[in-house]
Each structure stands twice: as C-alpha cells, then as structure tokens.
C-alpha cells in the first residue's frame, strides 16, 4: 500500500506525539508499505518521501512560546497536501489540527480512506491558562474537535480505553474507535546497568516528562522534601519544558538533590535501569509512554489516582497509587518502597510480566490491521 502519515507536529523524538508518529512510520516501512510523510519539519525537506509545508507564525512572542513548549505549528499549503495524497491508498493523521484538516478535505474529495489518532486531552490546552478544572471549557474543546474533524474520519485510533471513554462521554456519541496502545519499543527492556559512582549510596527516583503544570513534578519535589530519607535521595527529572526554572528554584529552596536533564531515547533506558523507583505524578495523561517504558524495564512504578490520567491503569495494585496532587500520600508511598526492598523486588517482577501487553510490534501490527479494515469497509460502501 501507499500510505500518507500526516503530522502537524513532527520534530525531535522528545515528545509523545512525535514518538508515536515515527514508530508508526518506521513499522509501516518495515512491513513493505510505501510511506509518505506530510509535516512541517523543515529539517526533513530533502528526505525522500517527506512533503514539507511551511511553519505557521503566530507572531514573535507566541512563536517563542510555542518553541519553548517544544513543538512547531504547520501552515497548510494545498499544492503540497495534494501532492502528498496523490495516488495513495490510505491517509492517517496524527492530530486534528490545520494540516490534518486540509488532508481530510482532500481525502474526502478523492474518496481515500482516512483514519486519525487521538493524541491530545482538552487539559493539555486548558492547563496552560489554569482552567483545566473547567468542565464546560474542556467539553467545548472536545465538541469543537469532533465537529471540526473527527466526525468526518473513517476511524479513530485511541491509545487507551480511558481517552476513548472521555471523548465519547463529552461528545455524547459512540465513534468508530480502535483502542491500540502506542506501545513500547523492543530496545526498552530490563538490563544490568550500574549506578554512576556518585550515586552508589543514593536512592535514585526517576520521573520522565515535559516540565509542565499537568505533569505535576512540583508534587514529587515536595514529596521528596518531606521524606525522612530526603538526604539520601537523588531525584532525576528527565525532560524539557516551560516550568524548568520554577522547578529548579523549588528544589533548591526545599533542599532536594534534584537533577534536571534531557536524555536521548537510548540514554534514558540506562537511567531507568539503574533507578530504584519510577514516579509518574501527572494529573493529566492520555497514555504516558514514559510510564510504560518504566513498566517495560520492570521498575517499581508509582502513579497518581487522577481521574484525568490513564497511567493508573498501569499500576499492578493499590500499593503503587497515591492520591492525586497529595504530597503526604506520595511521601508515604516513597518511604514504604524504600523500606521494603524485598517486596519491591517481587513487585518489579509483576510489572515486568504486565509489560508484555504493550509490545510495540504487536501494537503496530494492530494499527496496520485497522488501516486494512477501514480500507475494506470503504470499498464495500463504494460498491
């Protein structure tokens, strides 16, 4: 097949959206499909199979802000979009933004089967304006993207049952949805990895994710600060983001030994393997690939019980779940698992066994099946 993957946001693999897109692109190519990629990543302009539209400018101030968040925005150019879709058998859009919308318009005109991923929560936007608890605003966003995009696609890929239920509950409709995890790559696995010499006598706690309000790294910093083991803990917050200066200042003020660093995709697996605990404190999380990677390495993984996060589904039982944004609850869990290394080892085995469900090759195979199934249904309708 000839398949076009549309991604309004594509760049370095330092965010879940780009990682999901590139995993699918690589898998489809490995399966022998011809894959075209429609995006605005200017670094890929000369790469074969890439159709690159210009970046959208929102003005100097907002452009700077968007760059800090770690993304670029696409400015659709119709001739490039039509070229990317010319003669293809299927189109899959990662996001419901402007580039995806134009691709959908062209696909509808030409009768090309079209699927779309659901890789965003309303709170990803509303939290930036501290309005994440506004049910009306969050519902309005879901209704807007449904009416403006998803109601016209042939099938929707949801990474978790959680986000499928959230979306359908807010729009008050059932959708033609396929629940398929984005999966964890085979290179993410448990392996022997010694702690750096400077950390030999430390309990290493790792958390991975963009420094942002909804990721709740501030709760983790405060929880470590409250712990009686504070002076023997090294907290590693791996990521990038707008809240970096604020969180560094908080850690310094509370006397927490914290490292803020961005690691490559391979480097972070070493850190995962020598860490003693992994904590994912996010209040809003559609899937949480970084959390799944910790599970795949057999790491004792502590997650929030937030009703707006899918990661609680990954916990093997209640002993690994703390009350959302509750510092005291998180501190108690961290101390419990530091004090019970033998039980921790048993739980690590439980996590390792549970990871088999999220093997990326199997997840991507199901994505391919979705594409085949949608195409077959479209042909039947045409007949």
């Amino acid at each position: 097949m000839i398949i076009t993957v549309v991604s309004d946001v594509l760049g370095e693999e330092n965010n879940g959206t780009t990682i999901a897109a590139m995993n699918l692109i690589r898998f489809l190519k490995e399966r022998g499909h011809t894959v075209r990629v429609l995006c605005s990543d200017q670094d890929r302009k000369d790469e074969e199979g890439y159709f690159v539209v210009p970046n959208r400018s929102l003005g100097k101030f907002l452009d700077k802000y968007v760059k800090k968040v770690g993304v670029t925005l696409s400015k659709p150019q119709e001739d490039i979009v039509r070229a990317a879709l010319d003669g293809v058998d299927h189109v899959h859009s990662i996001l419901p933004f402007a580039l995806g919308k134009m691709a959908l318009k062209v696909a509808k005109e030409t009768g090309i089967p079209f699927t779309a991923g659901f890789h965003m929560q309303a709170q990803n936007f509303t939290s930036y304006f501290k309005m994440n608890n506004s049910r009306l605003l969050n519902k309005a966003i879901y209704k807007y993207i449904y009416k403006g995009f998803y109601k016209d696609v042939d099938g929707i890929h949801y990474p978790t049952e959680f986000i499928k239920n959230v979306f359908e509950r807010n729009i008050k409709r059932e959708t033609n949805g396929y629940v398929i995890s984005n999966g964890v790559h085979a290179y993410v696995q448990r392996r022997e990895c010694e702690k750096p010499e400077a950390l030999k006598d430390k309990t290493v706690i790792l958390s991975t994710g963009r420094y942002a309000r909804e990721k709740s790294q501030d709760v983790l910093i405060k929880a470590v600060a409250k712990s009686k083991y504070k002076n023997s803990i090294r907290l590693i917050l791996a990521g990038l983001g707008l809240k970096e200066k604020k969180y560094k200042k908080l850690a310094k003020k509370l006397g927490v030994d914290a490292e803020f660093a961005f690691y490559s995709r391979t480097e972070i697996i070493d850190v995962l393997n020598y860490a003693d605990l992994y904590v994912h404190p996010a209040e809003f999380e559609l899937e949480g690939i970084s959390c799944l990677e910790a599970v795949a390495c057999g790491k004792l993984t502590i997650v929030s019980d937030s009703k707006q996060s899918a990661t609680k589904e990954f916990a093997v039982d209640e002993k690994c779940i703390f009350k959302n944004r509750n510092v005291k609850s998180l501190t108690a869990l961290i101390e419990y698992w530091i004090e019970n290394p033998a039980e921790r080892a048993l739980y690590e085995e439980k996590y390792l066994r549970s990871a088999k469900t999220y093997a990326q090759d199997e997840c991507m195979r199901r994505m391919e099946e979705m594409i085949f199934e949608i195409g077959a249904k479209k042909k039947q309708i045409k007949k």
Side-chain angles (χ1 to χ4, degrees):
M1 292 179 74
I2 304 174
I3 301 167
T4 296
V5 175
V6 185
S7 188
D8 281 78
V9 175
L10 195 74
E12 288 186 39
E13 292 184 54
N14 59 11
N15 62 83
T17 304
T18 296
I19 291 166
M22 293 308 301
N23 286 343
L24 179 60
I25 291 163
R26 283 189 287 260
F27 179 83
L28 292 174
K29 285 181 177 179
E30 286 168 6
R31 294 284 288 177
H33 301 291
T34 298
V35 182
R36 299 177 185 174
V37 183
L38 178 59
C39 66
S40 62
D41 183 357
Q42 302 305 311
D43 290 339
R44 299 184 184 272
K45 251 186 175 177
D46 297 323
E47 287 189 39
E48 186 179 350
Y50 280 82
F51 294 75
V52 181
V53 299
N55 295 131
R56 182 183 295 278
S57 175
L58 302 173
K60 190 175 180 180
F61 175 76
L62 287 177
D63 285 350
K64 188 176 180 181
Y65 177 82
V66 169
K67 189 177 180 181
K68 275 190 176 181
V69 175
V71 301
T72 57
L73 299 178
S74 300
K75 183 179 180 181
Q77 192 169 314
E78 190 166 345
D79 60 331
I80 296 176
V81 174
R82 289 189 180 278
L85 270 60
D86 184 36
V88 304
D89 301 298
H90 191 95
V91 181
H92 181 77
S93 182
I94 303 295
L95 291 165
F97 297 158
L99 191 58
K101 284 183 177 181
M102 184 174 283
L104 176 58
K105 174 179 172 286
V106 173
K108 283 178 68 179
E109 286 175 11
T110 51
I112 303 169
F114 193 104
T115 51
F118 201 99
H119 296 281
M120 54 164 281
Q121 284 175 273
Q123 289 87 350
N124 293 145
F125 300 100
T126 56
S127 64
Y128 282 110
F129 308 103
K130 299 185 179 179
M131 296 185 71
N132 46 279
N133 292 321
S134 171
R135 289 185 181 181
L136 283 175
L137 184 56
N138 289 329
K139 182 174 281 191
I141 289 173
Y142 286 127
K143 284 185 174 180
Y144 175 78
I145 61 174
Y146 174 73
K147 290 178 181 178
F149 185 74
Y150 286 108
K151 74 178 178 62
D152 292 320
V153 308
D154 299 307
I156 304 174
H157 162 228
Y158 297 100
T160 57
E161 191 72 38
F162 159 78
I163 197 59
K164 179 178 183 287
N165 293 338
V166 167
F167 188 50
E168 292 184 343
R169 186 169 63 247
N170 277 280
I171 63 172
K172 293 184 168 57
R173 286 176 175 82
E174 286 188 15
T175 61
N176 184 24
Y178 295 73
V179 178
I180 306 168
S181 170
N182 287 310
V184 178
H185 197 281
Y187 72 72
V188 182
Q189 57 183 282
R190 176 188 279 179
R191 60 172 178 262
E192 287 298 319
C193 191
E194 287 194 18
K195 287 181 184 177
E197 196 61 37
L199 302 180
K200 293 283 187 184
D201 298 323
K202 293 276 190 177
T203 296
V204 177
I205 299 176
L206 172 66
S207 186
T208 306
R210 188 176 73 258
Y211 305 138
R213 189 171 185 273
E214 71 267 25
K215 301 299 183 184
S216 301
Q217 288 100 336
D218 58 324
V219 176
L220 178 52
I221 293 168
K222 290 172 186 175
V224 170
K226 291 285 185 182
S227 174
K228 59 188 172 183
Y229 300 111
K230 168 186 167 182
N231 293 331
S232 62
I233 291 173
R234 162 62 70 87
L235 176 61
I236 299 178
L237 296 172
L240 295 167
L242 292 173
K243 295 283 185 180
E244 183 172 351
K245 285 184 180 178
K246 182 177 179 180
Y247 290 160
K248 280 182 176 178
K249 188 175 180 181
L250 178 64
K252 186 176 181 180
K253 178 184 175 183
L254 298 178
V256 173
D257 178 13
E259 174 189 342
F260 294 78
F262 174 75
Y263 292 92
S264 71
R265 299 289 300 144
T266 50
E267 289 170 340
I268 194 63
I269 308 309
D270 287 338
V271 182
L272 264 173
N273 275 289
Y274 70 65
D276 297 290
L277 297 172
Y278 179 85
V279 180
H280 202 84
E283 185 174 3
F284 315 119
E285 195 71 85
L286 186 148
E287 182 174 31
I289 290 297
S290 57
C291 187
L292 276 179
E293 289 179 341
V295 172
C297 290
K299 198 55 54 179
L300 192 291
T301 301
I302 297 171
V303 297
S304 159
D305 72 351
S306 172
K307 291 179 181 179
Q308 300 300 325
S309 175
T311 53
K312 59 182 175 292
E313 298 172 5
F314 307 146
V316 292
D317 73 21
E318 295 296 319
K319 283 186 176 181
C320 302
I321 303 174
F322 73 96
K323 293 178 183 177
N324 180 51
R325 292 201 64 82
N326 188 306
V327 172
K328 186 177 179 181
S329 173
L330 180 52
T331 299
L333 264 188
I334 288 170
E335 291 183 346
Y336 178 83
W337 289 113
I338 289 174
E339 292 167 356
N340 292 277
E343 186 180 3
R344 188 168 81 223
L346 293 175
Y347 269 67
E348 287 174 344
E349 294 304 317
K350 288 183 182 180
Y351 272 110
L352 199 59
R353 288 194 294 273
S354 74
K356 293 177 182 177
T357 309
Y358 307 105
Q360 191 177 98
D361 280 354
E362 175 59 20
C363 295
M364 292 300 100
R365 186 190 63 76
R366 290 173 61 202
M367 288 288 290
E368 184 186 38
E369 281 183 358
M370 176 190 75
I371 289 169
F372 287 150
E373 186 176 313
I374 292 293
K377 284 180 181 177
K378 193 89 168 179
K379 283 180 182 177
Q380 285 296 323
I381 292 170
K382 284 181 180 179
K383 287 180 181 178

